[in-house]
Amino acid sequence: MPDDLTATPTSDAASPDTASPAERDYRETVFLPTTPFPMRAGLPKLEPELLARWEEADLYHAVRKARQDAGAPLFVLHDGPPYANGDIHIGHALNKLLKDFVVRSQFALGKDVDYVPGWDCHGLPIEWKIEEEVRKAGKTKDEVDPAEFRARCRTYAAGWIDAQMGEFKRLGVLGDWGRRYATMDYESEATIVAEFHKVLMSGRLYRGSKPVMWSPVERTALADAEVEYHQQNSPMIWVKFPVIADAAFTRLTVEFGPDDEMLPPRADELARMGQRSLASQQASVLIWTTTPWTIPANRAISYGSKITYGLYRVETVAAEPEAYAGAKVGELLILADALQEEVFAAAKITATRVEKVDPSSLTCAHPLAALDPGYGFEVPLLAGDHVTDDAGTGFVHTAPGHGVEDYQVWLASGRREIPDTVDENGAYYAHVPLFAGLQVIEAEGKKAGKFGPANAEVTAALERAGTLLAKSRFEHSYPHSWRSKAPVLYRNTPQWFVSMDAEIGSSTLRKTALDAIDGAAFFPETGRNRIRGMVENRPDWLISRQRAWGTPLAMFVDKATGEPLCDEAVNRCIQDVVREGGSDAWFSTDASVFLGPDRNPDDFERVNDILDVWFDSGATHAFTLEGRNDTRSPADLYLEGSDQARGWFQSSLLESCATRGRAPYKAVLTHGFTLDEAGEKMSKSKGNTTDPLKVIAESGAEIIRLWVAMVDYAEDQRIGKTILQTVSDSYRKLRNTLRYLLGALEGFDEAERLPVDQMPPLERWILHRLWVLDAEVRAAYEGYRFSEVWRLVTEFCQSDLSALYFDIRKDALYCDRPDSDRRRACRTVMDAIFERLTIWLAPLAAFTCEEAWATRFPDAGPNALRVFPETPAEWAHPEEDARWRRIERVLDVVTGALEIERREKRIGSALEASPRVWITDAHLLAAFDGVDPAEVFRTSAATLEDGDVPPDAFTIPGTPVAVKIERAAGDKCRRSWKVLPEVTEATGWLTLRDLDAVQAWDAAHKDAA
């Protein structure tokens, strides 16, 4: 792309030091580009001015009205709500700008676009902030009136909605900001409650007691989507569960001789039979765990039915100073054969395999039974498909209150009672023997979010009981709360769930959702497999939370039956009250108001849990896309990060499928995450973040917009100072292209336009390129391939325009008389280029395209009102494209020869040269029919030949082209610097073309004078 408007030989030719004082100064006769469009953008100052114009014009609604008046088809983009807690970060900028690209490009494609930005306002992050404020004031959350606490949460969220809205607008994001939605608006909360009631009435809702992810720090259950995994250094222990029964001492046996010294006193009879039971031999089943704190909750051991197990006798125990030794010589251990080597290495023992063991008939004692009778129950061995021999011992210690698979195996065995071991604060209940009150995870104080003493105390107790074989440390991935970043634990607790597999009508929620996924479009397509796999394998939807700030599970439970009250009249009353007074009204209104005169409030339990915030945001389609006459549901597109396959994409899908039997979207677009320049995750503590607000202040929002336009959003992207500098360099090239066009088109009007059929081959080729690009750009925008649009258009600008067309036509543009067909053709084509560049790139470079458009057409209205212009079929000239691709092959060789001549200082500029070019390929030679080769080579003269090639001619291997550079004959034109024989004193030392142009200029200015 051109660096400026005047860096050309032609403009230099008119400078004073190229002509003697006695000669005429021809500068005034040269038609140099001129424009007020500055080379330096000054974006931080310019952009707010443009934003003010858009605000004054109510641009979004102005464009919608124009499209509606034209009968345009509707396109709906539903906004996934960001969380209202803090300034925007670069991930926000990426997401909102991709949405802006969609809105603006769909407008440019001639559609009526509905886009209402929104915010997610409920849940832990905001509640946590207010709790911090309360603690700083020396109080606990429980000491603050719940209504006051919720009011503070609401005020906090409202402040950040206003702040983020301003920041998003500063990026140039176009949308219906005046009708923004928020999940905490009273109408929104009432609709969310209504959506919950639809689920309630469908029969999919149930209360179950099962292990769920629990955050002791936040004191609430978490869904899978609210959990992330971080590396954790945990204790790992190998524990012995003593065998106490094995099918009446006969089914599992070990061969021993009658003189064996290890015979216990009561095994005489068995010994005489040559057999001994495992129980009588003090054998132990060996388990391995990284959560010692769950041992008090153990109720079973799981084994794999396809795993081979063996009984091993300990032969030696390594005696290491200060090292723990939990094994004894002669002791019998049962474990998977595939894992014996690594287990014995960890325990520092050697052992001999005695016999194969079938664990299905074994029963064990609890490893803490010797210390407290509270653990004096039997521990059965249960078959479980989740057990493998990849790691551990081949046996899985099973605590049904603290693991999903543990829970499932326990229920499958016919057992129903689930022990409660750990309370909501992460401490053992008072009834837990030996460990009452000990913290598993600290919930308060400076150590909040750290593991408490439970692991160490349980390990020490196992040591005292003689059932700890070995201990070590283990680095592994451990679940943490997505928001507080504190570790979580599985904990059995009563919660409300939406069933994925209950047969309602003719389908389950899981099947309906999977069918909806199959029917939607995904950009990129890999997003389909990601969400499909998650829905296929996800558990029932846990939708209850034990918090204060959110939309309530506004329902009653019959105390006599334990079943939720399903009454449409009660539901409507609840919805009306919440619509009038917000979620607070559910907690503050007397139950009799909801239940009516025919029910006794004492017979019903009011549910005070709040809804999972993913249910809130999953229901946004209900109050944003429904109930308005200028939009529709389902939306054409949902657009968020790839992590939302387990978040908003999925919760929206499940909520809509549960209430409407379909997806709330027709298509889903996912983008990756933003990393630093080294590919590392951004972190304030690392100091490797890129603050979009700082970039805006220093360089302008347009630079962030173009960064988003240039990256492959489907993958993780990188950003940093070096990358932003590259973006700035690309921006300058784009700006200079627009500036050059504006300068070259100064004064252009319709009278100057030249019909296509009168244009030279070069202009017909450029029109063909515009015709091709029009289809490519439209298709790329339709497929949301924004980086492809940027690449296609900028490559056209750099390769076809700047490096070829502008350079070739510069001489005609500056020096031809204004009414010449060649110059008219050039300016006609440049007008078409400008018209298309400023709309093709407007969705991406919104500020700059607006500035360029307003510079040329200040009274034409905002650039965003335009649509892609129709490209006439008569512009299609594929034969010209083929011609100019062949010409470019020849030009590459000529340019190479000219570079050598300049480097060797045999010529100063290309205008001093007259190349002789031998072309031995007939197709390449024919490409120059009707084309002036000197014009193409940017030399004063040129000749094409097809005869014998001189041996000293320059060539490039593999090309049928050879070149000899000769000096141009004649004198130098004082105006255009061309060297031609026709330049004589009689012509005023001008070429005949330049003489004609000067005479025309003189006549025009004489008439004007």
Side-chain angles (χ1 to χ4, degrees):
M1 299 183 186
D3 291 331
D4 57 58
L5 296 182
T6 60
T8 67
T10 300
S11 61
D12 290 344
S15 61
D17 56 357
T18 63
S20 68
E23 295 173 334
R24 179 176 177 180
D25 186 346
Y26 289 109
R27 281 183 299 181
E28 62 181 356
T29 73
V30 175
F31 304 108
L32 293 178
T34 177
T35 177
F37 189 80
M39 183 183 298
R40 296 183 65 84
L43 291 171
K45 180 177 181 295
L46 169 71
E47 290 169 350
E49 296 172 0
L50 293 176
L51 288 170
R53 287 188 218 166
W54 293 343
E55 188 82 19
E56 184 180 0
D58 191 12
L59 184 58
Y60 173 78
H61 290 104
V63 181
R64 283 209 74 178
K65 184 178 186 307
R67 298 297 181 270
Q68 290 167 358
D69 290 347
L74 179 64
F75 181 94
V76 179
L77 169 64
H78 183 41
D79 191 32
Y83 206 70
N85 68 332
D87 290 314
I88 65 171
H89 53 66
I90 196 64
H92 286 123
L94 171 80
N95 178 267
K96 271 298 191 285
L97 287 175
L98 286 173
K99 290 172 181 173
D100 191 54
F101 292 174
V102 171
V103 171
R104 289 176 180 268
S105 63
Q106 294 297 320
F107 271 146
L109 286 165
K111 298 177 186 177
D112 170 28
V113 184
D114 177 61
Y115 173 59
V116 178
W119 275 269
D120 198 356
C121 308
H122 294 138
L124 278 171
I126 289 172
E127 189 167 347
W128 195 251
K129 277 289 184 184
I130 303 307
E131 284 188 30
E132 286 180 350
E133 292 179 6
V134 168
R135 284 194 291 270
K136 286 179 181 177
K139 296 182 179 180
T140 66
K141 175 185 173 184
D142 295 337
E143 294 175 304
V144 180
D145 179 73
E148 178 192 340
F149 186 89
R150 287 192 291 269
R152 292 176 65 173
C153 290
R154 187 177 294 277
T155 300
Y156 179 89
W160 280 113
I161 288 176
D162 291 342
Q164 289 185 2
M165 183 186 297
E167 291 163 357
F168 288 139
K169 285 183 176 181
R170 180 61 185 85
L171 286 167
V173 176
L174 204 58
D176 198 345
W177 295 105
R179 193 158 48 182
R180 70 100 185 102
Y181 76 81
T183 56
M184 69 177 185
D185 292 340
Y186 287 2
E187 183 65 36
S188 301
E189 290 182 330
T191 306
I192 293 167
V193 168
E195 292 298 299
F196 166 69
H197 286 157
K198 289 179 183 178
V199 176
L200 166 65
M201 300 302 289
S202 74
R204 287 190 171 92
L205 186 72
Y206 71 93
R207 179 155 58 179
S209 181
K210 63 173 66 175
V212 296
M213 288 285 195
W214 183 272
S215 171
V217 171
E218 297 153 335
R219 295 177 191 173
T220 187
L222 301 177
D224 288 349
E226 297 171 301
V227 174
E228 60 188 14
Y229 288 81
H230 300 294
Q231 288 302 109
Q232 176 83 32
N233 187 273
S234 298
M236 63 177 174
I237 57 174
W238 290 261
V239 182
K240 297 177 286 186
F241 280 67
V243 175
I244 59 174
D246 60 4
F249 296 93
T250 60
R251 187 172 173 189
L252 292 177
T253 61
V254 181
E255 296 294 331
F256 286 97
D259 298 326
D260 194 310
E261 294 180 359
M262 289 190 63
L263 288 172
R266 293 189 295 177
D268 297 339
E269 185 176 353
L270 287 173
R272 284 192 294 273
M273 296 169 55
Q275 298 176 331
R276 174 171 300 170
S277 79
L278 297 180
S280 66
Q281 274 302 291
Q282 300 173 345
S284 296
V285 171
L286 194 62
I287 69 95
W288 168 85
T289 182
T290 59
T291 53
W293 64 268
T294 60
I295 293 293
N298 176 275
R299 292 298 182 272
I301 299 171
S302 297
Y303 67 90
S305 58
K306 297 180 181 179
I307 297 175
T308 302
Y309 296 94
L311 176 70
Y312 290 83
R313 188 204 312 264
V314 177
E315 302 293 349
T316 65
V317 178
E320 295 185 9
E322 301 181 4
Y324 174 77
K328 297 178 177 62
V329 173
E331 190 171 11
L332 298 175
L333 304 174
I334 304 171
L335 67 156
D337 289 334
L339 293 165
Q340 53 90 15
E341 186 173 335
E342 62 184 71
V343 171
F344 297 155
K348 298 179 176 57
I349 62 177
T350 63
T352 302
R353 190 177 191 275
V354 177
E355 181 63 85
K356 179 179 178 180
V357 174
D358 176 3
S360 62
S361 63
L362 295 180
T363 301
C364 294
H366 195 281
L368 294 171
L371 299 184
D372 193 289
Y375 296 105
F377 46 80
E378 292 185 348
V379 177
L381 272 81
L382 310 174
D385 293 337
H386 65 293
V387 184
T388 70
D389 57 4
D390 295 333
T393 67
F395 289 106
V396 174
H397 132 65
T398 299
H402 295 292
V404 174
E405 291 164 329
D406 302 43
Y407 173 82
Q408 292 169 342
V409 167
W410 184 251
L411 291 187
S413 72
R415 296 162 174 85
R416 289 292 178 267
E417 184 179 349
I418 309 298
D420 289 326
T421 313
V422 177
D423 67 17
E424 64 179 11
N425 297 312
Y428 290 118
Y429 281 109
H431 63 257
V432 177
L434 301 174
F435 311 108
L438 278 178
Q439 291 289 148
V440 176
I441 294 175
E442 300 287 354
E444 298 287 349
K446 294 182 178 179
K447 292 184 178 180
K450 305 293 183 182
F451 277 91
N455 277 326
E457 291 294 333
V458 170
T459 302
L462 292 168
E463 242 182 279
R464 294 196 303 274
T467 51
L468 181 68
L469 176 71
K471 59 183 178 180
S472 186
R473 303 292 297 182
F474 181 59
E475 188 80 20
H476 66 136
S477 182
Y478 191 87
H480 289 66
S481 167
W482 188 13
R483 295 185 173 95
S484 71
K485 307 304 178 186
V488 301
L489 49 83
Y490 272 105
R491 173 176 174 264
N492 182 57
T493 177
Q495 298 290 343
W496 291 96
F497 298 87
V498 176
S499 172
M500 292 295 297
D501 299 306
E503 188 107 9
I504 306 294
S506 60
S507 185
T508 66
L509 179 55
R510 191 184 309 278
K511 184 179 185 305
T512 302
L514 291 172
D515 289 345
I517 291 169
D518 292 341
F522 285 83
F523 303 90
E525 178 62 26
T526 52
R528 184 191 311 278
N529 295 335
R530 182 179 176 87
I531 191 172
R532 201 177 203 289
M534 291 180 176
V535 171
E536 280 179 332
N537 299 303
R538 70 159 292 143
D540 289 346
W541 187 0
L542 167 63
I543 64 168
S544 54
R545 298 293 185 274
Q546 291 68 49
R547 301 300 294 178
W549 173 233
T551 308
L553 274 77
M555 65 176 177
F556 292 92
V557 175
D558 189 320
K559 291 179 181 178
T561 65
E563 293 297 319
L565 175 63
C566 294
D567 186 306
E568 290 287 12
V570 172
N571 291 346
R572 283 194 298 273
C573 180
I574 294 171
Q575 294 161 27
D576 290 343
V577 169
V578 173
R579 185 172 288 107
E580 182 68 25
S583 57
D584 274 352
W586 167 251
F587 302 103
S588 60
T589 303
D590 192 89
S592 61
V593 173
F594 300 121
L595 293 169
D598 298 331
R599 290 189 177 92
N600 182 355
D602 292 339
D603 294 337
F604 294 90
E605 167 200 352
R606 185 202 304 253
V607 177
N608 286 321
D609 290 347
I610 66 164
L611 279 165
D612 172 15
V613 290
W614 291 110
F615 191 97
D616 279 24
S617 60
T620 54
H621 63 93
F623 53 82
T624 308
L625 304 183
E626 297 177 3
R628 290 196 288 124
N629 58 13
D630 59 348
T631 188
R632 65 152 185 268
S633 182
D636 289 277
L637 186 69
Y638 274 35
L639 186 164
E640 298 300 327
S642 57
D643 59 326
Q644 296 307 314
R646 69 169 186 165
W648 189 59
F649 292 148
Q650 189 176 154
S651 65
S652 299
L653 174 72
L654 296 181
E655 197 283 331
S656 184
C657 285
T659 55
R660 290 155 178 78
R662 59 160 173 80
Y665 42 71
K666 297 178 183 178
V668 171
L669 185 151
T670 58
H671 61 77
F673 297 97
T674 305
L675 310 174
D676 70 6
E677 288 183 312
E680 298 292 329
K681 185 177 179 180
M682 290 189 181
S683 166
K684 288 184 179 180
S685 61
K686 290 183 180 178
N688 64 341
T689 59
T690 295
D691 183 353
L693 302 179
K694 185 176 180 181
V695 175
I696 289 171
E698 293 176 352
S699 304
E702 197 80 293
I703 300 305
I704 302 178
R705 294 182 70 94
L706 292 191
W707 167 73
V708 176
M710 293 168 69
V711 300
D712 179 3
Y713 63 74
E715 304 293 334
D716 290 346
Q717 325 85 35
R718 300 185 183 191
I719 194 172
K721 289 183 178 179
T722 303
I723 290 172
L724 287 174
Q725 183 58 53
T726 301
V727 175
S728 296
D729 293 342
S730 296
Y731 172 73
R732 278 192 291 272
K733 292 177 180 178
L734 168 64
R735 186 173 185 84
N736 284 328
T737 295
L738 294 173
R739 184 169 183 263
Y740 185 80
L741 286 167
L742 284 166
L745 287 167
E746 195 271 333
F748 179 81
D749 59 27
E750 286 302 308
E752 190 179 341
R753 191 177 302 280
L754 193 72
V756 175
D757 59 3
Q758 298 179 29
M759 289 188 177
L762 181 57
E763 275 65 33
R764 290 202 301 271
W765 172 58
I766 293 298
L767 290 178
H768 175 77
R769 291 290 296 122
L770 292 175
W771 181 80
V772 170
L773 273 173
D774 180 66
E776 293 177 334
V777 168
R778 288 172 188 265
Y781 273 131
E782 290 282 12
Y784 315 116
R785 301 188 302 273
F786 307 117
S787 63
E788 184 176 328
V789 173
W790 176 258
R791 178 185 59 78
L792 287 168
V793 177
T794 56
E795 284 181 357
F796 167 70
C797 290
Q798 294 170 29
S799 300
D800 294 341
L801 296 185
S802 183
L804 194 64
Y805 183 64
F806 289 167
D807 210 22
I808 291 175
R809 279 293 179 251
K810 186 165 51 181
D811 174 72
L813 186 66
Y814 295 179
C815 297
D816 278 11
R817 58 185 290 161
D819 58 354
S820 74
D821 283 354
R822 186 169 62 172
R823 191 172 189 275
R824 288 175 60 198
C826 176
R827 299 235 294 173
T828 300
V829 167
M830 283 187 164
D831 177 66
I833 294 169
F834 177 84
E835 181 183 35
R836 279 151 183 80
L837 288 188
T838 51
I839 188 62
W840 283 345
L841 292 179
L844 313 180
F847 292 109
T848 303
C849 289
E850 177 70 36
E851 180 191 7
W853 181 254
T855 297
R856 188 173 178 206
F857 303 112
D859 300 323
N863 192 44
L865 286 170
R866 299 168 62 206
V867 297
F868 292 147
E870 291 301 320
T871 300
E874 62 178 341
W875 286 12
H877 292 287
E879 74 284 354
E880 289 298 344
D881 192 56
R883 175 212 292 263
W884 285 93
R885 296 312 174 197
R886 292 197 294 266
I887 288 175
E888 283 186 291
R889 290 184 62 193
V890 178
L891 177 58
D892 287 343
V893 183
V894 176
T895 300
L898 288 169
E899 285 297 327
I900 292 174
E901 296 301 304
R902 271 195 291 263
R903 188 171 64 242
E904 297 299 325
K905 298 185 177 179
R906 289 191 283 267
I907 60 172
S909 76
L911 289 176
E912 296 176 14
S914 176
R916 292 180 65 195
V917 184
W918 286 264
I919 304 176
T920 59
D921 183 305
H923 291 288
L924 291 187
L925 186 60
F928 284 88
D929 290 346
V931 174
D932 180 1
E935 188 176 57
V936 173
F937 303 150
R938 280 82 101 191
T939 56
S940 291
T943 57
L944 303 181
E945 305 183 29
D946 59 358
D948 295 335
V949 177
D952 58 344
F954 173 82
T955 187
I956 295 177
T959 60
V961 180
V963 181
K964 285 195 71 173
I965 304 297
E966 298 178 350
R967 291 193 66 86
D971 282 308
K972 181 192 293 185
C973 175
R974 302 303 190 265
R975 183 168 178 263
S976 66
W977 274 23
K978 285 190 174 183
V979 178
L980 292 170
E982 65 192 46
V983 177
T984 65
E985 185 176 5
T987 64
W989 305 108
L990 299 174
T991 68
L992 296 177
R993 185 276 312 264
D994 286 280
L995 175 61
D996 181 49
V998 169
Q999 290 172 342
W1001 189 91
D1002 287 343
H1005 285 76
K1006 181 179 181 182
D1007 292 342

